[in-house]
Amino acid sequence: DVKVTQSSRYLVKRTGEKVFLECVQDMDHENMFWYRQDPGLGLRLIYFSYDVKMKEKGDIPEGYSVSREKKERFSLILESASTNQTSMYLCASSPTIGQGDHLFEAFFGQGTRLTVV
Amino acid sequence: GQQVMQIPQYQHVQEGEDFTTYCNSSTTLSNIQWYKQRPGGHPVFLIQLVKSGEVKKQKRLTFQFGEAKKNSSLHITATQTTDVGTYFCAGLRDSWGKLQFGAGTQVVVTP
């Protein structure tokens, strides 16, 4: 059973703190993604990585950075948490070589609900 | 950049009724995917459409990709309480596999 695991389900942090969100996948996927999900806005891409140590900014990278030192692990870092970063964060992975009708199918983690106070 | 619009944002359905949710892109899509997110859960892949005019069925769900590959629809027949959740469409943005998600249609089913 394929799996994407996020380190925390719920997290409460203070304004100004440095926050690490960890994500691990066991499917040997090349691609990994960080999204944030807010009501009415859908899933917005923060950062994308297509290989170890390779990263690309998504649509809303401001205030975030990422790290991918190993293929299976993709970390999202909030350099200095702010209240407007309170959100649901979803990690996902996908293969670059698909099988049949599942090319680039994204597998999501369970999400981390982050509250910044 | 590519925009994917999804309507309606919210759908209240009586159990047994049919409904349709629509997805429209500002650009031609090579591939469109649909995901379902149950309340409190995470998005789960439902299906992928690739060909112009393609129609695929999964039991009571019918997915369609427009002839111009700029729009897609999901039609659910005889809605059940198990259909509750948010349905997202997502267009493939590039050959690396990045997806552009719509805002989703939240479906509430009343018995």
Side-chain angles (χ1 to χ4, degrees):
Chain A
D1 197 20
V2 297
K3 242 184 170 174
V4 178
T5 304
Q6 294 183 228
S7 53
S8 304
R9 192 84 167 95
Y10 298 95
L11 215 49
V12 180
K13 296 292 181 181
R14 294 195 179 277
T15 302
E17 275 192 79
K18 191 168 186 175
V19 182
F20 294 85
L21 302 184
E22 308 285 348
C23 175
V24 178
Q25 51 101 356
D26 65 0
M27 295 165 281
D28 200 35
H29 285 164
E30 294 79 11
N31 290 344
M32 294 190 77
F33 310 83
W34 275 105
Y35 293 93
R36 70 177 273 177
Q37 182 176 17
D38 300 288
L41 297 177
L43 280 69
R44 292 181 292 165
L45 182 64
I46 304 172
Y47 264 98
F48 162 63
S49 170
Y50 53 91
D51 202 351
V52 175
K53 297 191 187 294
M54 306 304 284
K55 60 188 178 186
E56 190 177 300
K57 290 180 180 178
D59 301 311
I60 51 165
E62 297 77 20
Y64 304 94
S65 63
V66 290
S67 171
R68 193 164 179 203
E69 296 296 317
K70 293 186 177 181
K71 189 175 185 179
E72 67 270 19
R73 188 179 295 270
F74 192 34
S75 304
L76 180 70
I77 303 148
L78 285 67
E79 299 292 343
S80 176
S82 64
T83 54
N84 62 15
Q85 292 179 310
T86 292
S87 187
M88 170 68 85
Y89 290 87
L90 287 163
C91 174
S93 71
S94 74
T96 51
I97 299 174
Q99 296 179 359
D101 293 336
H102 292 257
L103 182 64
F104 298 130
E105 172 185 348
F107 294 85
F108 285 86
Q110 78 276 27
T112 297
R113 185 163 293 283
L114 172 67
T115 303
V116 183
V117 297
Chain B
Q2 183 185 84
Q3 300 281 335
V4 175
M5 309 296 292
Q6 210 172 333
I7 53 170
Q9 188 172 342
Y10 183 82
Q11 181 82 51
H12 192 172
V13 189
Q14 201 82 22
E15 194 172 13
E17 288 183 343
D18 301 352
F19 78 90
T20 304
T21 174
Y22 300 90
C23 183
N24 296 294
S25 170
S26 56
T27 57
T28 302
L29 300 169
S30 59
N31 161 325
I32 192 152
Q33 300 178 9
W34 285 88
Y35 291 79
K36 178 182 178 180
Q37 183 177 24
R38 294 182 188 276
H42 57 273
V44 175
F45 176 87
L46 291 176
I47 209 159
Q48 176 178 279
L49 304 168
V50 177
K51 298 173 188 170
S52 169
E54 190 170 17
V55 178
K56 287 187 176 180
K57 292 190 175 187
Q58 286 181 351
K59 297 181 182 177
R60 295 177 295 100
L61 276 61
T62 302
F63 302 84
Q64 190 162 0
F65 202 6
E67 293 290 339
K69 300 181 78 173
K70 293 180 77 172
N71 56 72
S72 182
S73 63
L74 159 59
H75 180 77
I76 300 184
T77 306
T79 306
Q80 299 178 358
T81 53
T82 53
D83 296 323
V84 164
T86 301
Y87 294 83
F88 293 98
C89 62
L92 191 64
R93 288 168 65 160
D94 59 27
S95 58
W96 290 102
K98 292 204 294 292
L99 297 171
Q100 184 74 42
F101 281 86
T105 294
Q106 185 181 349
V107 176
V108 174
V109 181
T110 50

